[in-house]
Amino acid sequence: MKLKLLNALKNAVISAPLDFEFGGLPFKFTAKIKLVPESELKTLTETQGTSDGEIVRELLVGWNDFFDDGKEVPFDKSTLEELLVYSGLTARLSVECINAQYRITEKN
């Protein structure tokens, strides 16, 4: 790869602020989403039978500012699995993981 700038993207993580309501409860935190090349994203999203949960497990690598009952919730796989038992939350996170791959942030 000739462009060193693009080489650095191999380890890039996208910060995606989320603020939505599900089941009458607020979910507000910053998702940390792994940036992947288009070919990997295409394989992940176009493979028949790939579930939203599999997409989230592959791309969501952390979060910040996630509070439950006034306490910050550290990211770990078991807590993620708790969220993924609700299909609405799983679908919302999956959409965000995919959409974040296309979001470009403008600099002033």
Side-chain angles (χ1 to χ4, degrees), residues 1 10 34-48 50 55 58-59 98 101-102:
M1 184 174 283
K10 290 179 180 178
K34 177 172 65 170
L35 180 64
V36 294
E38 184 177 352
S39 60
E40 189 175 331
L41 185 63
K42 186 175 181 177
T43 299
L44 188 60
T45 58
E46 292 182 358
T47 300
Q48 194 166 11
T50 302
I55 291 170
E58 179 66 27
L59 298 178
I98 293 167
Q101 304 298 319
Y102 300 101

Side-chain angles (χ1 to χ4, degrees), residues 1 14 20 42 48 68 72 77 82 84 96 105 108:
M1 184 174 283
I14 305 161
F20 61 91
K42 186 175 181 177
Q48 194 166 11
D68 181 42
E72 190 159 12
K77 296 294 182 180
E82 285 184 63
L84 297 182
E96 188 56 44
T105 304
N108 291 334

Side-chain angles (χ1 to χ4, degrees), residues 60-96:
L60 184 63
V61 295
W63 56 54
N64 290 338
D65 304 320
F66 190 150
F67 291 91
D68 181 42
D69 197 27
K71 297 176 186 166
E72 190 159 12
V73 178
F75 179 83
D76 64 44
K77 296 294 182 180
S78 65
T79 305
L80 177 60
E81 290 302 322
E82 285 184 63
L83 287 174
L84 297 182
V85 300
Y86 291 97
S87 58
L89 289 174
T90 305
R92 178 67 175 88
L93 292 172
S94 177
V95 166
E96 188 56 44

